[in-house]
Amino acid sequence: MHCFFKNIYIIFLLSFFVEAENKNKIFRVEAATVIWDANPTSEKFPMKKNFQLVREVIKLNSDNFSDNEKEFYKLINSENYSLGNTINIKGLEGTTIDTHKSWFQNLSNEESSKFVLVSDKRNQCAVKVFESRHPRIIAKCSMGLDSLEDTKILVNTPQGLKLEDQKNHKILRQNSSVKPHYFLSEQQRIRLNEFYYFDHPKIGLIIGVFDE
C-alpha cells in the first residue's frame, strides 16, 4: 500500500513539473470553423432571441502578421498553416469553412486561461486551450444568433491584455429576432501535434495545438 501511494505521489510531481514547464513554452494553435450547409437532420433546435457565447474573449491582433516573432495572440501568416496538409478542407462536400486562423500562446491552468475568438462570422466560435495535467481544449460555437453582442473583447498589447475600444469592434452583427439556435460546447483532452474535430449537425470546429 505504501508503494502505491508513493507511485501516485511521483506521478503527481511529474505532472506538476510538466505543467509548470509548459507555462514557459510557446505553442501554436490552428483552428478552422465549419458550417454544414447541406447536412439534413431531423434534430430539433431551440428557438432563441439572444445568447452569450462567453463573458470575455481575446481577439487576435491582425495589424501585422506575425511571421518571425512568436508574439502571443497575433495572427500567423496562412503560409505557415498545416491543416491543409492533413485534410483537404476546401474539398469537404456540403461544407463552408467560415474561418481559418492560427496563433501562438502558452499553456497555463484553466483558471488563468482565457477564451480566444476564432470566428465572429456566421459560426461564432471561441476556444480555451489550457493545461490540466494534460493539454485540453474547451470549444464553444454558436450560429443563428449574435452571441458576442455582450461579450467583453480583449486585445493583447505591450502592457498586457486590454479591453478593446467599442469603436474598434468589427463583430458581424446578426438580427435579434427569434431564430433557431445551433450551439456546440465541448471539452476534450488532446495530444499535441494532432488535429481534432468537434462535431455538431450544423456547425463544427477543427483544431490542433502544436509544440514548435
Side-chain angles (χ1 to χ4, degrees):
M1 183 63 73
H2 175 72
C3 184
F4 171 78
F5 285 110
K6 183 179 179 180
N7 290 336
I8 292 294
Y9 177 71
I10 292 173
I11 292 172
F12 173 79
L13 279 181
L14 287 174
S15 64
F16 174 80
F17 285 121
V18 169
E19 185 171 337
E21 180 185 4
N22 282 344
K23 288 181 181 179
N24 300 318
K25 293 177 66 176
I26 298 176
F27 297 84
R28 185 178 69 84
V29 183
E30 184 173 345
T33 58
V34 178
I35 299 175
W36 293 97
D37 293 309
N39 186 31
T41 176
S42 58
E43 186 174 342
K44 302 295 182 182
F45 299 98
M47 302 293 292
K48 293 184 179 179
K49 186 174 182 179
N50 51 63
F51 179 79
Q52 186 179 44
L53 186 63
V54 292
R55 290 192 300 175
E56 63 178 23
V57 68
I58 299 174
K59 179 181 177 182
L60 298 172
N61 292 336
S62 59
D63 294 337
N64 297 296
F65 284 101
S66 183
D67 292 324
N68 300 316
E69 297 181 6
K70 293 186 176 182
E71 182 179 336
F72 285 180
Y73 307 118
K74 194 169 187 178
L75 279 174
I76 299 172
N77 195 302
S78 60
E79 294 177 356
N80 299 315
Y81 293 1
S82 54
L83 179 56
N85 299 326
T86 306
I87 306 171
N88 181 17
I89 56 177
K90 293 184 179 179
L92 293 175
E93 186 176 353
T95 65
T96 297
I97 301 302
D98 204 35
T99 304
H100 187 187
K101 294 179 179 178
S102 186
W103 65 93
F104 292 114
Q105 68 168 83
N106 64 347
L107 295 185
S108 55
N109 59 43
E110 182 178 1
E111 291 73 22
S112 59
S113 299
K114 295 187 181 298
F115 280 95
V116 175
L117 183 61
V118 178
S119 174
D120 57 11
K121 297 182 179 180
R122 287 175 61 199
N123 180 10
Q124 298 177 332
C125 282
V127 298
K128 179 186 284 193
V129 183
F130 63 97
E131 183 94 10
S132 180
R133 295 188 59 189
H134 303 279
R136 298 178 187 273
I137 292 174
I138 298 176
K140 291 181 180 289
C141 297
S142 171
M143 189 172 74
L145 303 171
D146 182 0
S147 301
L148 298 167
E149 184 175 9
D150 298 319
T151 296
K152 293 181 180 179
I153 308 296
L154 305 174
V155 291
N156 195 29
T157 72
Q159 295 74 38
L161 293 173
K162 302 290 184 182
L163 189 64
E164 186 183 41
D165 192 327
Q166 291 288 337
K167 294 184 291 185
N168 294 327
H169 283 193
K170 295 180 181 179
I171 304 299
L172 177 65
R173 294 304 177 199
Q174 303 173 12
N175 294 332
S176 59
S177 57
V178 175
K179 294 180 178 180
H181 182 226
Y182 311 115
F183 179 52
L184 181 158
S185 179
E186 289 188 30
Q187 178 176 160
Q188 184 170 326
R189 171 185 165 181
I190 64 165
R191 287 195 290 254
L192 298 175
N193 307 312
E194 294 182 8
F195 280 105
Y196 291 82
Y197 177 63
F198 292 84
D199 193 22
H200 182 278
K202 289 294 185 181
I203 55 180
L205 176 76
I206 304 171
I207 186 168
V209 181
F210 299 86
D211 183 2
E212 299 186 343

